[in-house]
Amino acid sequence: MTRGRGEEGTRKPDKTFSVHRLSFGEEFDTATLKWEELDPGNRSMSLNKKIINQKAKKIRLILFDVDGILTDGRILYNEKGREIKFFHVHDGQGIRWLLKSGIEVGFLSGRSSPAVAMRAKELGISFLFQEVGDKIKIFKKLLKITKLDPEQVAFMGDDFMDHPLLKKVGLSFSVSNGHPLIQKEVDYVTRAAGGFGAVREVSELILRAQGKWQFILKDYGLKK
C-alpha cells in the first residue's frame, strides 16, 4: 500500500449503459500529485511506486464507489425527506480528464439516489449502477460489455462491501478516511479524504502513469 497526497450518460441502475460526452473545460486547480511528495515515512513507498505505475499504465476503465468516495459519506435529508449529496468540483474535473483521455468511468452504489444519477449524467460517465448488492456480478458484466481484462480495470472503495471487488481488479484504491482494514488491502491510499478530492488524486496518478498528464496541462497553457 502506498499513500499519496492529497470537473468535471447513463444506463439506469443495474440496467444502465450509454456513453455521452460533455464539453470539456472547467477550472484547473494547480494542486498536483508528485511521487516525490509522497510520505517519506512510508516504507512501502519506494517498493510500490514502480508497481503502481506499471498497473496504472494498463487501466482503461475505473470504477468508483459513491458514498465515502465521491461524497464524504454523510447522508442528508431535506424537510421533504429527499436525499441530498455533496460532490466536489475537483473530483468532477478529474473524471472529465479521464474521459477526455479515453479512460471510461463508472459509478457503483449500493444505494439509489436521483442526485447520483444527475451527477453521472452531468459528467457524462460511461456506466452507472445503483442498488448494487453484488459488485463482483456487475464487474463481470462490465468485462463482457467492454471486452477488457481484469488488469485493465481499477476500483476505488472505502468499506468492507468493497473488498471483494478491490481484490479482483488490476489496480485498487482507497481513501485516507476509509476503513483501516481496507486501506491495508489496496494498492494505493489517497491523502485526500473521500468527497474532498480523492478521485481527482487518483485521476492525476493514472494520467501521469500513462503519459497523458502533459496534454491536460497543455490545454491550460501549463507545463509540468
Side-chain angles (χ1 to χ4, degrees):
M1 175 189 75
T2 297
R3 289 185 181 273
R5 187 182 61 164
E7 145 128 29
E8 342 304 35
T10 54
R11 217 176 144 194
K12 291 179 186 177
D14 258 11
K15 316 154 190 177
T16 322
F17 175 59
S18 77
V19 180
H20 171 65
R21 294 284 185 253
L22 299 180
S23 59
F24 176 77
E26 289 168 341
E27 232 177 55
F28 172 69
D29 180 346
T30 53
T32 57
L33 175 79
K34 295 182 180 178
W35 285 111
E36 298 77 22
E37 295 171 349
L38 294 174
D39 182 359
N42 188 339
R43 289 179 298 172
S44 66
M45 180 190 71
S46 59
L47 295 175
N48 285 353
K49 171 184 170 181
K50 190 180 220 179
I51 295 172
I52 292 170
N53 223 29
Q54 290 172 343
K55 288 184 174 186
K57 286 179 180 179
K58 300 177 183 178
I59 300 304
R60 296 295 175 267
L61 167 65
I62 181 164
L63 304 173
F64 296 106
D65 180 35
V66 175
D67 294 310
I69 298 296
L70 287 157
T71 76
D72 63 8
R74 292 180 297 171
I75 299 171
L76 299 114
Y77 296 94
N78 64 15
E79 64 279 2
K80 295 182 179 179
R82 182 168 295 178
E83 185 174 289
I84 300 170
K85 293 183 184 289
F86 293 93
F87 301 99
H88 203 295
V89 67
H90 291 175
D91 289 334
Q93 185 65 73
I95 288 171
R96 285 225 177 139
W97 287 335
L98 289 171
L99 294 170
K100 178 182 173 68
S101 300
I103 297 169
E104 302 293 355
V105 176
F107 294 170
L108 303 182
S109 178
R111 300 171 59 84
S112 179
S113 169
V116 174
M118 184 180 299
R119 185 60 166 163
K121 183 176 182 179
E122 178 184 34
L123 295 174
I125 70 160
S126 312
F127 306 96
L128 169 64
F129 293 93
Q130 300 202 73
E131 296 183 288
V132 175
D134 185 348
K135 292 183 179 180
I136 295 295
K137 181 179 178 181
I138 298 300
F139 174 61
K140 290 178 179 177
K141 183 175 183 178
L142 284 171
L143 291 181
K144 289 183 179 180
I145 292 172
T146 61
K147 297 184 173 19
L148 294 175
D149 295 321
E151 60 264 27
Q152 294 176 293
V153 183
F155 176 53
M156 190 172 189
D158 68 317
D159 213 340
F160 295 166
M161 62 286 296
D162 300 316
H163 182 252
L165 183 52
L166 287 167
K167 301 307 291 182
K168 290 286 186 182
V169 295
L171 181 58
S172 57
F173 298 102
S174 192
V175 290
S176 62
N177 58 333
H179 196 284
L181 291 178
I182 297 301
Q183 291 179 340
K184 290 179 181 179
E185 296 288 325
V186 300
D187 295 306
Y188 184 93
V189 176
T190 62
R191 288 202 176 177
F196 289 95
V199 168
R200 166 73 165 264
E201 188 174 324
V202 301
S203 299
E204 290 190 24
L205 185 154
I206 291 172
L207 293 171
R208 285 176 180 276
Q210 296 188 5
K212 297 174 179 177
W213 184 239
Q214 63 195 46
F215 301 109
I216 299 297
L217 296 183
K218 186 178 179 182
D219 285 340
Y220 298 91
L222 295 168
K223 296 181 180 180
K224 290 183 181 180

